[in-house]
Amino acid sequence: MSGDRPILEVRGLHKSFGHLEVLKGIDLAVRKGELVFVIGPSGSGKSTLLRCCNRLEEPSSGSILVEGVDVMAPGTNINAVRRRIGMVFQSFNLYPHLDALGNVSLALRKVVGQSRAEAELAGQAALERVGLAEKANSFPNELSGGQQQRVAIARALALQPAILLFDEPTSALDPELVGSVLAVMRELRESGMTMVVVSHEMRFARSAADRVIFMDHGLIVEQGTPEKLFNAPDHQRIKDFIASIEH
Amino acid sequence: MEQLVHNFFNFEILSQAWPLLLAGFWMTVKLTLVVVPLGLAGGLVVALASTSRRRLVRWLVVIYVDFFRAFPPLVLLMFIAFGLPFLGFDPGAFIAVALSFLLNTSSYYGEIFRAGIESITRGQHEAARSTGLSVPQTMVYVVLPQAVKNVVPDLVSNTLEVIKLTSLASVVALPELLYAARQAQSLTYNATPIIAAGIIYLVCLWPLVRLLSRFEHRQIALH
Amino acid sequence: MQLERLADTFFNLQVMQQYLPKIVEGFFITIQIALAVVLAGIASGLLLALVRAFRIKALNFFIILCVDILRALPPLVLIIGFYFALPAIGIRMSAWVATWLALSLVLMAFAEEIFWAGILAVPKGQWEAARSTGLSFVQTLTDVVMPQAVRLTIPPLTNRTIAITKGTALGAVVAVGEILYQAQTAYSFSYNPSPLVLGAVAYLILFIPVVYFGRWVETRFAWKR
């Protein structure tokens, strides 16, 4: 870790829904510019882990630091922290009553406090980064699934976050649309964006991830380079899981 | 036939009664312009309160809504118009009507807005919150615009009912259209003013009825 | 002291006791009119919707016209028209009948619209499948389409019916002896608002269960766009 602070630091994270313990003590540090891939069977707690990082789910115990700021501390302005943590959802969750530019610029105006002109300039730039500059005035229902997800990425990107969280960003997409979204993510990685990705896109993980984390039953079972995890994992269940996915 | 024309469509009577009817019509318009926005605003407050995190607040809202939905509007109006003076406060007919309508219609509008708010998926809230919007900001900029759009047919339908309900004001002697018509009838001993009032309601409200009928068919067809 | 006066004004036991029998009488008249309105209104609305399904142009135009007029007119205007205007051309009816007829017609109009929308909502494939097995038009309508349509219509119809039965209070305007009329008369005799309180309580006893029934129906037949 060579002295500089991780962007995201999770320590001893527990999360229960009623009697069901979904996260049973997660420790995780993500360095600047790193792309961390989280895999594991459904119900293993991957999505909950992401959603705890910006407190869409309230952690039961443990601590989460983003750029050194304790997300859980009583004095922390969670809305200010959330600006620094972008999130991309499986079901896009674009605002259907706003066009692409409106979707991207809303938080710039209301959270950052930019004027409409400033926000739209920044929003347009974000749309350009995901290759959709010409769709600025299209409404979500006029866009394909892949385009919608790219607008959602632009919405997160426009706030200039320190880290981007992806929660199964391609699972709701038709196979032929997946590529365009992955291409945007690859480009983000090359530009040095810090990312945590929950996904089943193993080929993308192999080629793009710095580190792969395998989760099961609310715990990190093993983590390492893609080569290590995909080719020679220490645990048999990882082999079984990867075999079951790659068919 | 001649009897029908003489008693129902008597132009001489109509021309006598016209100033009265016109004044009544404007009172109905004025009443509508007060009562509908008031009900919409009250309904919005009721709906927002029903999303409160405090259980007590949600509970109070349910009681409020059910209580005023169970009362026939005319009963509420009479209660306020005749009961309040005993508390040492005579509101006058207009205020009594406005107050009873606020209590009644805000319950109905409130239920409609609430249904609209509940129709917005959790993902919309989460997406907005993930970009740093606060809870009130999320409500105002993301949830409400979609919620209202989803319930426009129900809002229009309820508004039509509210406009028709303004005729109840005649019972507490507020000189709106129906009251004016009855007054004109008793002055002229002829039913033409009542028929005329009916026709005025019809002409004004028919477009709304047509619009609603189209909404309703689409709504059930989508189901 | 203040509170005592308030209780004496609004909850005057002596006055309440005196007029309670009248309010109870009104209570049953309200139920009577309400039931008669529900039966007549829904039955005639269903009938009109079925007739409309035959798609006879002239007839349908007439049905739509009637329904539109009844939806645009305030029920109170109808009641007053029936009771105060119709006698001028020799048609006389009691206040009870005027109230019942006006509310039944209004419910009929709404019920027809709702049933008709329900019929339209049943996919065309259902008609085609039924006809392809040799069912007649009428058989298809009654045995295949209506059972599906009625299910869709239950929640909106319930809500509308509840709203219209509350209109029985309008009968007070033409002196039908239902709850509100009894309460109002007692109020003007005694010049004390306690009978109004009693009347309000009677309405709550009658309609709170109905409102809850409506809520139950709404969740039971989840009616979502």
Side-chain angles (χ1 to χ4, degrees):
Chain A
M1 300 226 172
S2 70
D4 58 348
R5 209 177 241 298
I7 299 276
L8 172 69
E9 234 182 318
V10 176
R11 290 191 209 126
L13 179 64
H14 287 259
K15 170 68 187 175
S16 303
F17 294 103
H19 293 297
L20 184 69
E21 197 175 19
V22 181
L23 297 177
K24 300 171 183 167
I26 301 285
D27 296 288
L28 173 68
V30 180
R31 291 185 311 275
K32 189 167 167 40
E34 200 179 13
L35 194 164
V36 176
F37 220 85
V38 185
I39 61 174
S42 62
S44 57
K46 307 168 302 224
S47 289
T48 308
L49 169 61
L50 281 197
R51 294 160 58 84
C52 280
C53 292
N54 62 355
R55 274 176 65 189
L56 282 183
E57 300 291 356
E58 214 53 57
S60 303
S61 67
S63 68
I64 296 165
L65 285 82
V66 174
E67 298 181 298
V69 175
D70 185 351
V71 172
M72 306 282 293
T76 302
N77 176 356
I78 186 63
N79 294 326
V81 177
R82 280 180 177 151
R83 263 175 64 185
R84 304 291 297 158
I85 317 172
M87 187 162 213
V88 177
F89 300 84
Q90 178 177 353
S91 49
F92 328 138
N93 296 340
L94 289 186
Y95 313 134
H97 63 299
L98 299 175
D99 63 11
L101 190 57
N103 265 276
V104 175
S105 55
L106 181 68
L108 288 173
R109 286 166 51 206
K110 303 303 172 186
V111 182
V112 184
Q114 292 182 355
S115 70
R116 181 183 285 269
E118 280 177 296
E120 288 188 347
L121 210 63
Q124 190 67 41
L127 283 174
E128 211 149 317
R129 270 187 87 176
V130 299
L132 288 175
E134 80 283 7
K135 297 284 185 190
N137 295 315
S138 299
F139 283 86
N141 63 6
E142 299 164 345
L143 298 172
S144 74
Q147 290 171 329
Q148 289 188 50
Q149 192 59 300
R150 281 148 69 197
V151 172
I153 293 173
R155 175 171 68 185
L157 216 50
L159 292 160
Q160 302 189 308
I163 183 168
L164 273 179
L165 310 175
F166 291 80
D167 188 1
E168 309 212 18
T170 56
S171 328
L173 294 177
D174 292 335
E176 72 270 21
L177 301 175
V178 170
S180 67
V181 172
L182 292 183
V184 167
M185 290 168 67
R186 198 181 295 273
E187 229 174 77
L188 287 176
R189 172 188 151 61
E190 275 154 21
S191 71
M193 174 61 71
T194 311
M195 308 199 273
V196 180
V197 182
V198 169
S199 166
H200 293 296
E201 298 291 338
M202 297 301 165
R203 276 178 48 203
F204 181 71
R206 273 177 205 273
S207 62
D210 295 299
R211 179 157 47 119
V212 179
I213 290 176
F214 180 81
M215 278 181 73
D216 199 7
H217 297 300
L219 286 168
I220 293 179
V221 176
E222 189 175 337
Q223 53 179 312
T225 61
E227 295 77 39
K228 171 81 169 75
L229 244 86
F230 287 118
N231 301 333
D234 298 335
H235 296 77
Q236 181 61 35
R237 49 181 155 151
I238 301 180
K239 263 185 206 156
D240 295 343
F241 172 75
I242 290 167
S244 75
I245 289 287
E246 291 198 327
H247 271 292
Chain B
M1 188 66 200
E2 204 177 305
Q3 193 197 7
L4 185 82
V5 172
H6 174 78
N7 285 301
F8 280 1
F9 303 100
N10 191 324
F11 277 97
E12 204 180 315
I13 299 283
L14 185 63
S15 63
Q16 284 174 31
W18 190 246
L20 208 56
L21 286 177
L22 201 61
F25 171 76
W26 284 118
M27 181 54 96
T28 292
V29 170
K30 193 171 135 192
L31 202 52
T32 299
L33 290 180
V34 169
V35 153
V36 170
L38 216 55
L40 282 169
L44 204 52
V45 171
V46 167
L48 289 176
S50 76
T51 67
S52 165
R53 283 182 190 201
R54 288 164 193 263
R55 189 175 294 178
L56 180 70
V57 175
R58 292 203 307 267
W59 208 63
L60 288 175
V61 170
V62 171
I63 292 179
Y64 174 89
V65 167
D66 285 349
F67 189 81
F68 287 111
R69 286 213 307 180
F71 263 121
L74 183 57
V75 177
L76 193 60
L77 173 59
M78 287 209 178
F79 198 82
I80 287 175
F82 301 146
L84 275 191
F86 285 93
L87 290 176
F89 169 63
D90 188 349
F94 196 93
I95 302 286
V97 171
L99 187 59
S100 63
F101 271 57
L102 173 63
L103 294 174
N104 177 260
T105 61
S106 64
S107 305
Y108 282 91
Y109 280 126
E111 284 288 284
I112 294 170
F113 281 128
R114 187 174 63 91
I117 291 171
E118 282 173 1
S119 74
I120 304 307
T121 59
R122 216 173 73 154
Q124 289 291 314
H125 291 264
E126 289 181 346
R129 300 283 280 138
S130 80
T131 62
L133 292 178
S134 66
V135 172
Q137 283 177 323
T138 301
M139 198 44 104
V140 171
Y141 300 115
V142 175
V143 177
L144 278 182
Q146 301 179 53
V148 171
K149 196 177 154 217
N150 286 352
V151 294
V152 163
D154 293 329
L155 289 175
V156 175
S157 167
N158 198 49
T159 301
L160 172 65
E161 294 307 310
V162 173
I163 297 175
K164 290 195 292 181
L165 275 185
T166 58
S167 62
L168 299 191
S170 63
V171 177
V172 293
L174 186 73
E176 48 67 75
L177 183 53
L178 180 59
Y179 184 85
R182 293 199 59 190
Q183 210 182 0
Q185 184 200 17
S186 58
L187 289 175
T188 59
Y189 299 104
N190 188 294
T192 301
I194 290 185
I195 304 298
I199 292 172
I200 294 175
Y201 275 116
L202 204 57
V203 169
C204 295
L205 298 181
W206 200 336
L208 270 184
V209 172
R210 282 284 91 222
L211 181 71
L212 272 173
S213 164
R214 201 173 302 167
F215 278 150
E216 278 158 14
H217 285 189
R218 205 178 313 153
Q219 213 170 70
I220 294 197
L222 279 179
H223 173 72
Chain C
M1 190 59 202
Q2 192 68 332
L3 212 65
E4 208 171 294
R5 243 191 56 207
L6 202 70
D8 202 45
T9 311
F10 284 91
F11 301 94
N12 189 316
L13 288 182
Q14 207 181 342
V15 175
M16 281 187 170
Q17 209 168 15
Q18 189 183 348
Y19 291 104
L20 183 64
K22 280 284 172 199
I23 301 280
V24 171
E25 192 189 313
F27 187 79
F28 286 106
I29 292 180
T30 295
I31 293 180
Q32 203 183 38
I33 307 178
L35 288 180
V37 166
V38 171
L39 282 178
I42 291 182
S44 55
L46 181 59
L47 190 70
L48 280 191
L50 289 175
V51 169
R52 196 168 166 187
F54 285 89
R55 295 179 191 266
I56 303 164
K57 265 216 171 106
L59 207 54
N60 280 10
F61 178 79
F62 181 71
I63 292 175
I64 295 171
L65 186 73
C66 286
V67 165
D68 275 13
I69 290 175
L70 289 168
R71 287 182 64 177
L73 284 179
L76 186 56
V77 171
L78 281 175
I79 293 175
I80 285 181
F82 287 170
Y83 192 67
F84 290 114
L86 284 187
I89 56 165
I91 302 173
R92 277 165 217 287
M93 57 183 90
S94 70
W96 195 100
V97 172
T99 306
W100 167 79
L101 187 61
L103 295 179
S104 297
L105 285 173
V106 172
L107 181 55
M108 175 188 82
F110 279 102
E112 189 281 329
E113 276 296 288
I114 292 170
F115 282 126
W116 175 242
I119 291 173
L120 287 186
V122 176
K124 218 172 131 199
Q126 293 289 315
W127 285 93
E128 289 170 353
R131 295 308 293 276
S132 78
T133 63
L135 292 184
S136 71
F137 179 87
V138 175
Q139 284 171 325
T140 303
L141 187 59
T142 56
D143 294 342
V144 177
V145 174
M146 282 318 285
Q148 301 180 53
V150 165
R151 209 190 140 75
L152 293 177
T153 58
I154 284 176
L157 191 60
T158 308
N159 282 334
R160 187 57 70 181
T161 304
I162 293 172
I164 291 172
T165 50
K166 285 195 301 183
T168 53
L170 300 180
V173 176
V174 290
V176 178
E178 47 68 71
I179 301 173
L180 182 60
Y181 177 75
Q182 301 290 3
Q184 197 195 349
T185 316
Y187 154 76
S188 43
F189 276 135
S190 62
Y191 199 63
N192 177 293
S194 300
L196 289 176
V197 173
L198 218 49
V201 171
Y203 275 109
L204 287 182
I205 291 174
L206 194 55
F207 281 108
I208 288 263
V210 175
V211 166
Y212 273 85
F213 173 72
R215 273 193 196 275
W216 177 79
V217 165
E218 219 156 49
T219 45
R220 173 79 177 62
F221 298 86
W223 173 251
K224 293 274 178 255
R225 271 171 281 284

